[in-house]
Every structure is written in C-alpha cells, then in structure tokens.
Amino acid sequence: MFRLLIVDDEEIITDALYDVFCELMPEQLDVCKAYSGEEALDWMSRTRIDIVLTDISMPGLSGLQLVERIQDYWPRCKIILLTGYNNFEYIYKAMQMHHVRYLLKTEGFEKIKETVRKVIKEIKQSHLEQYLLEQTDEQRLGYEFVAQGDFMRHVLERSTLACEDKLRLTSEFEQLNISLHPMEDVYLVLANIEYSPKTSYSQRSNTLVRVRLIWDQHLYKQLHSIGIVDRYGGLVWFVQSRHSHQRTLSQLFKYMEGSLELIQEECLDSLDLKIQFTISTDFTQWEDITKKYEKLRQSQLLRVGGDYREILKEYADTDKNVKSGMQSYQKIELLTSYLEGNREKEFFIEVKEIQSYAECRHYSQMMEGYFSIALVLYSFIQSNGLDKTFLNTDKLLKLDEHSYLSEGYDYLNEVAKEIFRQKQNESKDRASLMIDRITLYIEDNLSADLSLVRLAEIHFFNPSYLSHLFKQEKGINLSEYIDRCRLRKAKDLLQNGNLKIREVSQLVGYHTAHSFTRFFKKSTGQTPKEYREGLSQML
C-alpha cells in the first residue's frame, strides 16, 4: 500500500482532493492531508510517505522548501508540486529537484488523478527495473556475502570477545569491505523468512542474496548496513546511519518501520516471499550485540499471531534480575518460546530433534529429552488454565504410564497439537477483539482524526498491517467502514432540526460543509438539506 499526503493551506482544495483520492484506489492508496508545510513535516516524522501532492505557494514553509525537508525524511518520496501560478521561476526550480514534477491547478482533478496514477506506476516500475539491473551483481555480492557473513556471525555469537579490541576490529572491517564503523553504536534488525517446504538449499541461498539486494535498493542512500544469515537461517542486519547527526533514534525507528513495509511488499511481489522483521528499539554497543540479538530472537519467537506483515518491536525487559547463564535450559526456553509465539512448525522440528538426539544416547538422556518437552507442555497447560481441557495432565510427567518411550513421545506430540489448535482459535478471537475495539473507537470519535496512520498509532499497529487485518476481519476496507459510520451518524443528527448542517458536518469529521455535502450526496443521492426536508415531509 502506498501513502499519499495532500498539502495545501486552502482547506477547501485540500479536502476536495482528499475526498477524490480516498475514492480513487482504496486498496492501494492510503490518503493523508495537511493544511501547512509544518503539519506535513509532522506526518513525515510519524510514518512513511510515498507521494506528496503539495501547493507551492503557502505561508510559512513553502512547497519548494517543503520538498527539501521531505527528502531528508524519505529520499524515495515522489513530489507533485501543484500551483495556480504559471511562473517560469517556479517551474525551473521544480525541474532541478529529484523526484519532483510540476502541475497547474487549472488542469483539473482528472489531470491530477492521472498524474498520481502515473507516479504510482513509475514507483512500481522502478522497483522492477532496479531489481533486474542488479541481478547481474548477484554472484559478486554472493561471494562477498559469504566472507562478511563468516566474520559477522562470529561477532553476533561472541561479541564481547570479538569486539573488545577496537583497532583489530577496525582492521577486520577494512579487509572485508564492511562499511560499518566499529567506534559507533549499531542498530539491529532481524528477519524471519517463510520458505516453501520444497525450497532447496541453493534456492534459499539465491533468495537471501536477492532479499539483500532489495534491502540495499531501499536503504543504501540513508544507511550503512550489512546483512548476514544466522545459524537459524534468518537474516540479521547491522545498521548505522550515514548521517548520524541528522537522524535521531526516533527518526531512524520510523524510517526503518516505513521502509521495511515496502521491502516486505516488494519481496512478496518480485520473489513471492513472505518476510517478517523484528526491529530494535535502541542502538547497542558492539560488545553487547550478542545480548541484543538474543533479545530480538526472543521477541520474534514470542510474537502474537502469525501475520508476517506486522513489524515487530523488541520486547522491553520485564525482569532486570534474570541471569543469562542458563545454558542447560536452552532447549526448554526455546520450546517455550515457540509454544508461546504460536510457532507450530518450529516447535515440532525442535521436538523431533530432541527425540532423535535422545534415542541415540543413554537412557538417562532419553528421559531428560522426554521430560524437557513434557515440562514445557505441562507448565503451559497449568499457567493458561487449560487443565480442564486436558483432564489427565499428570500423565505428561509419568513416563511409566507409556509402554514404550516412542509411545510417550507420540503422546507429547498429540498434546502439543491440541494446544496449537486451541491457540489458533484464540488468535482468531484475539484479532476479532482488537478490531472490535477499533470499531468502537471509530464510532465514538467520528469527529476526530481517523486516518489509518492515527488509528495505527493509537492501537499500536503499523498502518499496513492494521489495514490488512481490518479487511480480513470485517470484509471491507477501513475507510469504507468509517464512511458508513459517518453516514449513519449524519442521518441521525440531521433529524435534529436544531443543528445546522455545518455543525453536523463537524460532528462526523468533516471540517467544511462543502466536503460533507459532496460526501453525503454521493452516498445517498441527496444533499443533507434535501434529506432533512424529506424527513420533515414524512412527519
């Protein structure tokens, strides 16, 4: 989904354009509006913007000045300068700017719509062309990827040891052509890729190179980064800003979140690949990378739901007194993470590995493997109040009730399958509850800002995921649902003869009566005045 921001100090123009584009392609275009350059910059700091349609002549921050600021936030953003002035100086300046085109207001709505469609098509086409051009670099990048990956995996797993000597670290970076700076803190991003079960090892390797190309295409102008494959087959990126003095942590966080949405979409479109990202909430020192990475992995494993579109955030520490030296319990912790995070496939792979490992060894190790799994299942059942569903939970901890150890493992697998089945149902119920909460908020706040970005901020989603989840649960677009609520409320309010039409429009979220009238007539075939008069005649 692309995001369009309309900027004009004349409210009637902004609102009219907003209404036009909300109806143009609701599945592909999320539309926002601002009445000043300063308000536009606020949008830029909150979310990714792909296209800006802005007036040139505005008080305060002009359109040309806004363009320069926009490209600091989102350098790939396309800008359409809209003005009523046929002035050569404006045209000349616009022509000198990257990703900027010029359009006269007098050319009308159809021309503006046509231009926005062309820009969207260009964005999609540029992604494809860039991808094809960079395919020739895949082999070279593949060799470099391996060399850098070996060293960076060493850093990832033993950062305290690998990074204590900064001079040696600097030398290693230079020899391996690693663009990061060992004296500056680093930001981590973890990616989980959903492969088809039939994907071969070589296909996975090629896919990882292509994902890295797409990443670089979107981020190399603003960030230094290197991505490696971790021991679990996921991707880990080490990130630093090219302009550290120009990008705060908050700005970097928003920039990463917005850019990763585009990378997800492009990976799905060009590679038919689902990829989920988990991102840090702060920078970390090189010596502490191993701890940060483990924390991100836990955050990923403990995710709620299974939709890859959600950009996951690093979980906050809940217990500062937990010690990190619990190596003997790693299997239990990993199984617990998979179970809590609803990672059914990974859970059963781990169970199979534990069983295979145990069966090749001494009986005591076979028992240890069984009880490790049984303890995880038993603890989950007790802590989640499922003991009424699983009536004989004590059997989990009684190995002698099974004729053979393999029979015991079969029993563990059956219990685990039933837990995951119930969790899947709970996940669906939880999504429904979340959407119900959002719909209630919409109905109670029709006069407030109900943009997709704002609703996502309030309810702690990223916008694209919220849009997808709402459509999945309700069967209609979020914008369509909001329009229905506003129309229903407007009809109720119009029955009150004491309210002016201007007051009704404001109560349902329209700042100008003109925009409200156009919306109401399109929805009902009548103006608000005609609708009210019709009600009077019926009485």
Side-chain angles (χ1 to χ4, degrees):
M1 175 175 284
F2 297 104
R3 193 160 294 119
L4 168 68
L5 175 61
I6 300 167
V7 190
D8 199 310
D9 61 305
E10 296 184 53
E11 291 190 10
I12 191 170
I13 294 176
T14 305
D15 293 340
L17 286 170
Y18 177 82
D19 293 342
V20 166
F21 283 106
C22 280
E23 299 167 2
L24 185 63
M25 44 180 71
E27 294 284 352
Q28 298 185 51
L29 201 60
D30 176 30
V31 188
C32 311
K33 60 183 176 179
Y35 300 109
S36 68
E38 289 77 10
E39 188 178 349
L41 290 180
D42 180 59
W43 277 107
M44 293 287 159
S45 67
R46 291 165 59 192
T47 189
R48 187 194 80 247
I49 301 294
D50 303 295
I51 307 168
V52 172
L53 178 62
T54 179
D55 186 17
I56 284 184
S57 178
M58 294 186 293
L61 197 66
S62 72
L64 292 175
Q65 292 171 323
L66 178 61
V67 169
E68 296 175 357
R69 301 288 298 277
I70 287 171
Q71 294 180 338
D72 286 339
Y73 283 96
W74 304 103
R76 295 170 60 87
C77 181
K78 305 284 189 181
I79 297 113
I80 303 170
L81 290 173
L82 193 62
T83 184
Y85 295 95
N86 191 2
N87 186 303
F88 177 77
E89 182 181 354
Y90 282 132
I91 297 174
Y92 179 76
K93 288 181 179 179
M95 291 173 62
Q96 306 306 307
M97 295 179 169
H98 192 48
H99 293 324
V100 177
R101 64 183 68 201
Y102 183 93
L103 201 60
L104 293 173
K105 290 181 180 178
T106 53
E107 296 184 79
F109 282 170
E110 288 305 318
K111 180 65 175 179
I112 297 172
K113 287 196 291 184
E114 179 188 345
T115 303
V116 170
R117 285 195 187 98
K118 285 182 178 179
V119 169
I120 291 174
K121 186 176 180 180
E122 287 174 8
I123 293 173
K124 292 180 178 179
Q125 187 65 26
S126 67
H127 290 171
L128 178 60
E129 289 175 353
Q130 189 73 15
Y131 169 70
L132 293 174
L133 284 172
E134 290 176 341
Q135 290 230 356
T136 58
D137 290 334
E138 286 185 13
Q139 189 173 16
R140 177 182 59 81
L141 286 174
Y143 291 132
E144 186 178 276
F145 192 57
V146 171
Q148 293 176 344
D150 287 342
F151 177 73
M152 296 306 291
R153 263 188 298 276
H154 174 60
V155 171
L156 196 66
E157 295 175 5
R158 297 178 178 84
S159 62
T160 303
L161 177 64
C163 302
E164 61 181 356
D165 187 340
K166 286 296 192 291
L167 291 177
R168 182 178 178 182
L169 189 62
T170 301
S171 176
E172 296 280 12
F173 279 17
E174 290 174 354
Q175 292 180 48
L176 293 170
N177 195 27
I178 296 173
S179 60
L180 303 175
H181 199 297
M183 301 299 180
E184 296 180 5
D185 290 349
V186 67
Y187 184 86
L188 293 190
V189 176
L190 180 60
N192 178 55
I193 298 175
E194 296 186 19
Y195 296 103
S196 164
K198 297 180 180 179
T199 306
S200 67
Y201 179 84
S202 60
Q203 288 173 328
R204 291 192 180 201
S205 298
N206 290 332
T207 297
L208 291 172
V209 173
R210 292 180 179 183
V211 171
R212 189 187 184 195
L213 285 171
I214 292 173
W215 169 286
D216 289 342
Q217 175 192 339
H218 282 271
L219 298 172
Y220 79 96
K221 289 184 178 179
Q222 292 292 311
L223 302 173
H224 289 296
S225 66
I226 178 172
I228 66 166
V229 184
D230 67 9
R231 56 179 170 153
Y232 301 101
L235 279 168
V236 182
W237 272 278
F238 302 78
V239 178
Q240 289 176 340
S241 177
R242 289 182 182 271
H243 313 289
S244 57
H245 63 285
Q246 296 178 1
R247 193 177 290 279
T248 64
L249 175 62
S250 175
Q251 290 170 335
L252 176 65
F253 188 84
K254 286 294 182 183
Y255 180 74
M256 291 301 304
E257 190 175 24
S259 299
L260 294 179
E261 289 179 12
L262 289 178
I263 293 172
Q264 283 179 328
E265 292 179 12
E266 193 165 341
C267 284
L268 187 64
D269 291 340
S270 61
L271 304 177
D272 193 26
L273 188 73
K274 294 179 179 179
I275 181 168
Q276 183 172 55
F277 292 103
T278 305
I279 57 180
S280 302
T281 54
D282 58 7
F283 293 97
T284 188
Q285 295 179 350
W286 284 96
E287 295 90 332
D288 297 328
I289 281 175
T290 302
K291 292 179 182 178
K292 175 65 72 174
Y293 165 68
E294 291 298 336
K295 192 174 178 184
L296 287 177
R297 271 194 53 76
Q298 288 296 316
S299 301
Q300 187 180 79
L301 294 172
L302 293 172
R303 77 181 191 262
V304 177
D307 198 296
Y308 77 97
R309 295 172 182 84
E310 185 178 7
I311 307 296
L312 303 174
K313 284 86 172 176
E314 169 192 346
Y315 283 175
D317 289 325
T318 55
D319 187 354
K320 300 296 183 181
N321 298 317
V322 175
K323 296 182 179 180
S324 59
M326 308 291 286
Q327 298 299 320
S328 61
Y329 296 103
Q330 282 185 346
K331 289 293 183 184
I332 292 177
E333 289 179 350
L334 193 59
L335 285 171
T336 301
S337 296
Y338 286 147
L339 193 59
E340 292 286 350
N342 208 22
R343 301 282 291 275
E344 183 172 0
K345 179 181 176 181
E346 291 89 339
F347 181 90
F348 285 111
I349 288 174
E350 192 66 34
V351 167
K352 186 175 180 180
E353 287 184 1
I354 292 173
Q355 183 176 358
S356 299
Y357 178 85
E359 288 175 349
C360 298
R361 285 158 176 80
H362 193 270
Y363 182 72
S364 63
Q365 291 174 311
M366 295 167 63
M367 292 181 60
E368 182 180 348
Y370 174 90
F371 283 113
S372 293
I373 302 167
L375 181 61
V376 170
L377 297 175
Y378 184 84
S379 298
F380 185 87
I381 290 170
Q382 296 299 319
S383 62
N384 288 274
L386 300 178
D387 46 327
K388 293 181 180 179
T389 304
F390 300 91
L391 297 177
N392 191 17
T393 53
D394 289 343
K395 186 178 179 180
L396 285 168
L397 303 180
K398 294 179 179 178
L399 189 57
D400 56 358
E401 290 197 12
H402 306 289
S403 301
Y404 305 99
L405 185 61
S406 59
E407 181 185 300
Y409 274 105
D410 289 342
Y411 175 72
L412 295 181
N413 277 282
E414 289 302 316
V415 172
K417 286 177 183 177
E418 178 60 23
I419 289 175
F420 278 110
R421 189 189 66 80
Q422 293 196 27
K423 281 179 66 63
Q424 188 175 17
N425 292 336
E426 289 175 4
S427 181
K428 292 179 181 178
D429 292 342
R430 193 181 302 114
S432 296
L433 288 172
M434 290 177 180
I435 295 303
D436 287 344
R437 190 161 61 243
I438 290 172
T439 57
L440 183 61
Y441 177 85
I442 290 170
E443 292 167 5
D444 291 342
N445 295 274
L446 288 174
S447 62
D449 177 8
L450 296 180
S451 65
L452 178 59
V453 172
R454 181 56 182 158
L455 289 172
E457 287 176 341
I458 294 171
H459 296 92
F460 305 103
F461 289 97
N462 60 288
S464 296
Y465 178 63
L466 173 57
S467 176
H468 164 78
L469 185 62
F470 193 94
K471 179 71 178 289
Q472 178 178 281
E473 289 296 318
K474 292 295 183 181
I476 61 172
N477 294 322
L478 178 59
S479 58
E480 184 181 350
Y481 179 81
I482 293 171
D483 284 345
R484 288 184 183 182
C485 291
R486 283 176 165 157
L487 181 63
R488 184 170 61 249
K489 180 70 176 292
K491 287 181 177 180
D492 290 342
L493 293 173
L494 286 170
Q495 295 181 39
N496 184 346
N498 296 325
L499 288 173
K500 297 179 181 179
I501 291 177
R502 183 180 67 255
E503 294 172 329
V504 172
S505 71
Q506 291 175 344
L507 288 171
V508 297
Y510 283 87
H511 297 292
T512 62
H514 175 76
S515 295
F516 172 63
T517 298
R518 184 169 58 252
F519 157 73
F520 195 89
K521 186 169 184 179
K522 182 179 178 182
S523 302
T524 65
Q526 297 176 297
T527 65
K529 182 179 179 182
E530 291 169 345
Y531 179 81
R532 174 174 274 175
E533 289 173 350
L535 290 174
S536 300
Q537 292 173 5
M538 294 173 60
L539 297 176

